[in-house]
Amino acid sequence: MIIEIAWKNVWRNKVRSLIVIAAMTIGVFAGVFSIAVMNSSVVQRIDSAVNEELSHIQINNKDFRSSNDINDFIPDLDTLFEKILTTEGVEDATGRIIVQAMASTARKSTGVMLVGIDPEKERHIFTLGEKVIPGTGGFFQGETKYNTAYIGEKLAKELNIVRYMMDDEAFNKMSESDIPQEVILKLEQFRGVRFVSEKKLKAELRNVLSHKEFRQYSGQVFSSAWSYREGSRIVFTFVDCEGNQTGATFRITGIFRTNNDMFETSSVFVPYDELCSLTGIEPGNYHRIIARLTDNDITDRVTREVRAALPSLEVLNWKEISPDLAMLADFMQQIYALFMIIILAALAFGIVNTMLMAVLERTREIGMLAAIGMNRKKIFAMIMTESVFLSVIGGISGMIVGMVIIAVTSRNGINLVNYSEGMEAIGYSVNLFPVIDPLFFTITACLIILTGIISSVYPARKALKLNPVEALRGEK
Amino acid sequence: MNVLEINEVYKTYHDTEVAVTAVNGVTLSFERGEFAAVVGPSGSGKTTLLNLIGGLDQPTDGEIIVAGHRLSELRPSELIDFRMEHVGFVFQSYNLIPVLTASENIGFIMNLQHWPADKRKKRTDELLHSVGLADRGNSRPSQLSGGQQQRVAVARALATRPEFILADEPTANLDSKSTDTLLDIMEKLNRDEEMTFIFSTHDSRVVRRARRIITLEDGRVVSDERR
Ligand SMILES: Nc1ncnc2c1ncn2[C@@H]1O[C@H](COP(=O)(O)OP(=O)(O)OP(=O)(O)O)[C@@H](O)[C@H]1O
Ligand SMILES: [Mg+2]
């Protein structure tokens, strides 16, 4: 009965209740959604760090990281692999050799890390192969005959392997895109021109296009003009096992695009066998073992176990290799908590305010109820139930709206292309796919209800303090 | 047997500048089935006396005994249950719960007392009939006239057959026709259900229909006549 009366009381002042509920809906939705958006960039960043760049755990000799000594191989590989693979939570592991090199083309050169991998094996463990820009080669599909290399787009641009051709094909692509005809006409003067770098094309575009046009369409112009000569070559020079300067020409059979420019410029992947024979490394030796785990959440535990099993080696997980990333994840947790506290506090004030009003304007009625024998417990319960109804309706509808919008936006992502340069340079995706942990949702739901309960205590106590005689005397 | 005994009851308010003794040494007793009016000029202590009898307020001195319960011995929480069990209240206004229908209002105390649904419904229908609102059971208070609301309040007050019904100026907001109807109903219920009614009033039409008239002046009983 109490529940029924409380429910009806909620709808006594429909407008007021709906306003409170709407305010709570918006508040909860805004909070949950902004957390989901913030979370998405962190989750994506960690995802690519783990899946493409670092893997979960890396193992190498204790001083390899600082010396990069080409002869510093991990000993006793058979027992080591057995120990790693039998650790619970380790999905798979593979070895790499890493050689410092200088990459040069006819125009430029830059220092890189040559990573010798077994493409067939790594294809199953990591998703780096999926990051290939379509049409740039098949490094992970077996195009590894002789000297082939898989390089990042950023490096390709730096070495002028990727260029920007305003050829007929580019103009065809542009007219198929949603670039307006008048913008294309302005670009007509560049037909047939080849730009060696994005920077040069960008400078020209800035000259001929208005600020707004540039902002809106430059991305599409770049991708239309993007061109790469299949089979372009890079010369890598490095020091071999014996300490002799040596080098070789590599054919590019794949350009990958990630969100991390640093990683794209510094890492070049080449077939393990080729790198062994070029450097004179005895096949079967590795500088580093990388292991993939079944779940990111168990990283700390598995790291401890592997480290205990391999005391003579350096065992580091991605959080230790990239402490900034781990710190960011922790920091974001605190930001989320702060966000939630703010939302819940606003929610609490809304409920306290509304319920206090409801109690005060019903003074006589509550006095009457107490007079005819409704006991304190029941009056208290009635007011509490009213508040809980309000907060639950508001909170849950906010979460539903949030969930729906997160579901919709996470399908297509939220494009932040206008801010892309700054974000990609430090490894963040420009396309955000809001994600939220189901556990977070459950916790939020519980917290909202708890907030509703806690914030109704004060108005409910206020109702108890009413003296029925005085409340009723007011009636004259 | 007496349903109510009041022995040398005093009520003094100290919260004003000068202490006011609203009830000043009242001794009364009521038998089952009485139909009594408490009258007197404004400020004579009628409301205060009824509140004391109903356990809404505590006397400064003296003893009130309802069906063997000494009210002074009850703790505040027991007083609430005491009221629910033994006293029916009808106030001048604000009697009903606005969000509930007439039937639900009548059933409210039965509900608090956990009556089974079928028994509750039977009693509610019977009372709706007695107060002449058989066809208005599903109306909200706001859809009823003032007189009809008071009739619902009377029906609710006596639904669980309390010791007596206290009504403080139940007709003060009603026109003369509604007043007559309400009194007809109260008389009928007094007769049919043997329910004791104690009501205060200013209205001579109401006073005329009482079978016992208790007159207060400055908190004292100055006359107590039965007819
Ligand atoms: N809470 C209170 N504090 C102080 N004085 C009070 C209080 N309640 C009542 N009184 C005083 O007690 C006296 C009796 O009041 P009461 O309301 O019982 O009179 P009444 O006979 O019901 O009057 P009316 O016919 O106007 O309703 C009055 O003088 C009133 O001012
Ligand atoms: Mg009065």
Side-chain angles (χ1 to χ4, degrees):
Chain A
M1 181 184 57
I2 299 285
I3 291 175
E4 201 188 318
I5 294 179
W7 175 252
K8 288 176 173 166
N9 279 336
V10 168
W11 299 110
R12 240 164 123 151
N13 194 331
K14 280 204 190 68
V15 173
R16 185 171 68 203
S17 296
L18 283 176
I19 288 173
V20 176
I21 288 170
M24 281 178 2
T25 305
I26 293 167
V28 170
F29 155 71
V32 167
F33 187 68
S34 33
I35 288 176
V37 170
M38 290 190 282
N39 196 29
S40 73
S41 61
V42 177
V43 166
Q44 283 173 47
R45 179 72 198 94
I46 290 176
D47 240 42
S48 46
V50 169
N51 291 325
E52 297 153 13
E53 301 161 22
L54 304 173
S55 81
H56 289 106
I57 295 178
Q58 299 190 354
I59 299 156
N60 41 250
N61 281 345
K62 280 214 160 117
D63 42 8
F64 179 75
R65 248 167 232 284
S66 50
S67 69
N68 278 309
D69 180 351
I70 196 167
N71 290 314
D72 196 6
F73 304 115
I74 300 174
D76 247 349
L77 283 172
D78 289 343
T79 38
L80 178 137
F81 268 111
E82 202 198 304
K83 277 179 182 166
I84 297 172
L85 292 173
T86 52
T87 306
E88 201 201 317
V90 175
E91 194 175 289
D92 211 341
T94 185
R96 291 175 164 182
I97 52 175
I98 296 158
V99 178
Q100 303 295 314
M102 183 62 78
S104 332
T105 56
R107 291 166 174 277
K108 288 203 171 147
S109 62
T110 178
V112 296
M113 239 167 47
L114 276 183
V115 184
I117 63 170
D118 173 353
E120 191 46 33
K121 175 99 183 165
E122 298 229 353
R123 189 157 68 91
H124 295 295
I125 306 183
F126 296 102
T127 57
L128 184 63
E130 294 162 17
K131 295 291 160 178
V132 66
I133 297 172
T136 56
F139 182 81
F140 279 93
Q141 275 69 46
E143 261 193 69
T144 48
K145 281 265 159 57
Y146 311 115
N147 299 346
T148 57
Y150 188 61
I151 72 171
E153 187 188 16
K154 187 79 182 169
L155 179 65
K157 284 180 181 172
E158 271 182 25
L159 296 175
N160 294 147
I161 290 166
V162 163
R163 288 159 315 172
Y164 293 84
M165 307 276 285
M166 295 296 273
D167 51 9
D168 295 344
E169 201 189 321
F171 275 94
N172 287 343
K173 275 191 202 158
M174 284 193 283
S175 43
E176 276 161 31
S177 70
D178 48 343
I179 304 177
Q181 202 53 44
E182 75 238 38
V183 175
I184 295 180
L185 275 177
K186 284 188 191 175
L187 300 175
E188 202 57 49
Q189 53 180 300
F190 300 123
R191 192 182 279 272
V193 179
R194 198 179 76 186
F195 296 90
V196 288
S197 69
E198 190 177 306
K199 218 156 101 195
K200 294 221 163 85
L201 175 56
K202 194 182 270 181
E204 292 295 343
L205 288 184
R206 270 197 209 282
N207 281 338
V208 300
L209 297 182
S210 74
H211 188 66
K212 195 171 152 222
E213 286 168 339
F214 178 83
R215 218 180 51 214
Q216 255 175 324
Y217 305 114
S218 61
Q220 287 174 36
V221 176
F222 291 145
S223 68
S224 302
W226 196 95
S227 108
Y228 144 73
R229 245 179 331 129
E230 184 107 37
S232 294
R233 281 159 210 279
I234 307 181
V235 176
F236 292 108
T237 46
F238 42 84
V239 176
D240 72 8
C241 263
E242 256 89 58
N244 301 319
Q245 186 81 25
T246 174
T249 305
F250 281 70
R251 204 159 43 88
I252 294 164
T253 55
I255 297 179
F256 61 85
R257 179 181 287 164
T258 65
N259 300 315
N260 191 343
D261 287 353
M262 274 267 287
F263 175 68
E264 277 186 25
T265 45
S266 64
S267 301
V268 172
F269 296 87
V270 297
Y272 174 80
D273 300 334
E274 297 297 332
L275 194 56
C276 281
S277 69
L278 288 170
T279 50
I281 292 172
E282 190 78 29
N285 282 312
Y286 293 121
H287 292 127
R288 175 170 295 159
I289 308 296
I290 56 174
R292 183 183 174 81
L293 308 185
T294 51
D295 186 356
N296 188 30
D297 293 342
I298 57 173
T299 303
D300 290 333
R301 174 184 66 77
V302 177
T303 309
R304 273 197 305 279
E305 283 172 25
V306 173
R307 190 173 287 149
L310 306 168
S312 60
L313 297 174
E314 182 181 61
V315 177
L316 295 176
N317 62 35
W318 65 267
K319 299 179 191 181
E320 292 155 338
I321 299 166
S322 183
D324 51 329
L325 204 54
M327 231 168 73
L328 179 83
D330 277 357
F331 178 65
M332 287 316 273
Q333 294 290 333
Q334 289 168 25
I335 298 271
Y336 304 157
L338 189 72
F339 244 71
M340 282 321 292
I341 290 170
I342 293 171
I343 291 167
L344 291 175
L347 205 132
F349 278 111
I351 292 169
V352 169
N353 179 49
T354 310
M355 289 313 297
L356 216 51
M357 252 156 89
V359 166
L360 292 180
E361 74 187 10
R362 295 203 325 248
T363 302
R364 282 176 196 157
E365 184 182 323
I366 293 167
M368 181 271 295
L369 290 171
I372 66 172
M374 188 158 169
N375 63 29
R376 293 162 59 85
K377 220 164 68 191
K378 290 197 168 109
I379 291 178
F380 193 78
M382 182 177 78
I383 304 292
M384 294 280 277
T385 312
E386 284 178 37
S387 325
V388 171
F389 274 138
L390 270 185
S391 48
V392 169
I393 297 172
I396 301 295
S397 67
M399 300 214 328
I400 290 173
V401 173
M403 226 157 26
V404 168
I405 295 194
I406 289 170
V408 170
T409 51
S410 68
R411 202 171 314 139
N412 298 319
I414 302 171
N415 204 312
L416 296 180
V417 100
N418 290 343
Y419 313 100
S420 67
E421 281 168 50
M423 300 244 316
E424 286 211 329
I426 53 171
Y428 290 88
S429 168
V430 283
N431 227 356
L432 295 179
F433 294 86
V435 275
I436 217 147
D437 193 345
L439 181 71
F440 174 83
F441 247 91
T442 322
I443 292 175
T444 311
C446 293
L447 282 177
I448 289 170
I449 294 168
L450 198 71
T451 309
I453 293 173
I454 292 171
S455 47
S456 60
V457 169
Y458 177 65
R461 283 179 58 112
K462 202 88 183 165
L464 288 187
K465 290 226 175 77
L466 290 176
N467 175 342
V469 178
E470 277 163 26
L472 286 163
R473 224 178 240 284
E475 77 189 44
K476 298 267 153 78
Chain B
M1 196 196 96
N2 289 340
V3 291
L4 168 62
E5 277 185 49
I6 306 167
N7 291 325
E8 280 297 301
V9 165
Y10 293 82
K11 176 69 182 182
T12 306
Y13 291 109
H14 295 284
D15 48 344
T16 43
E17 261 175 49
V18 266
V20 178
T21 301
V23 172
N24 198 350
V26 170
T27 300
L28 290 167
S29 65
F30 292 83
E31 284 166 20
R32 189 177 177 78
E34 291 208 58
F35 199 67
V38 178
V39 300
S42 187
S44 57
K46 305 183 291 293
T47 298
T48 308
L49 180 64
L50 293 192
N51 285 346
L52 293 175
I53 299 172
L56 288 172
D57 215 348
Q58 283 76 51
T60 320
D61 198 7
E63 192 72 82
I64 297 169
I65 303 164
V66 177
H69 295 273
R70 281 172 200 279
L71 299 197
S72 58
E73 288 171 0
L74 298 178
R75 281 180 282 128
S77 63
E78 292 173 326
L79 261 178
I80 296 178
D81 287 342
F82 160 82
R83 292 199 296 264
M84 178 186 69
E85 298 275 343
H86 299 287
V87 189
F89 288 93
V90 177
F91 304 102
Q92 188 179 321
S93 53
Y94 295 103
N95 269 300
L96 304 179
I97 302 166
V99 294
L100 299 184
T101 62
S103 299
E104 288 166 342
N105 266 290
I106 293 173
F108 186 75
I109 295 175
M110 294 187 262
N111 224 325
L112 286 180
Q113 293 185 6
H114 307 294
W115 285 35
D118 51 339
K119 226 177 126 193
R120 204 166 66 211
K121 179 163 189 330
K122 191 161 158 277
R123 178 72 169 147
T124 303
D125 290 344
E126 176 185 312
L127 284 166
L128 271 172
H129 206 267
S130 309
V131 300
L133 293 172
D135 55 340
R136 303 305 299 273
N138 289 323
S139 303
R140 293 281 179 94
S142 57
Q143 296 162 331
L144 298 173
S145 73
Q148 291 169 330
Q149 290 180 30
Q150 291 303 75
R151 276 139 71 185
V152 173
V154 169
R156 178 188 64 198
L158 94 190
T160 57
R161 300 197 172 84
E163 245 50 65
F164 49 81
I165 289 180
L166 294 174
D168 191 12
E169 308 204 28
T171 62
N173 293 339
L174 304 185
D175 60 27
S176 56
K177 190 158 165 283
S178 305
T179 302
D180 285 339
T181 316
L182 185 67
L183 276 158
D184 290 343
I185 286 165
M186 283 165 62
E187 268 178 353
K188 187 172 74 142
L189 291 167
N190 170 252
R191 205 169 49 237
D192 297 351
E193 302 225 358
E194 250 193 281
M195 179 53 61
T196 313
F197 278 87
I198 304 170
F199 49 93
S200 74
T201 185
H202 274 126
D203 187 344
S204 53
R205 298 160 65 94
V206 179
V207 179
R208 268 207 303 279
R209 302 186 55 166
R211 290 202 304 280
R212 179 180 177 185
I213 301 164
I214 297 156
T215 311
L216 292 184
E217 241 168 61
D218 293 333
R220 276 183 242 273
V221 178
V222 292
S223 88
D224 181 0
E225 31 181 301
R226 286 167 208 263
R227 294 194 297 210

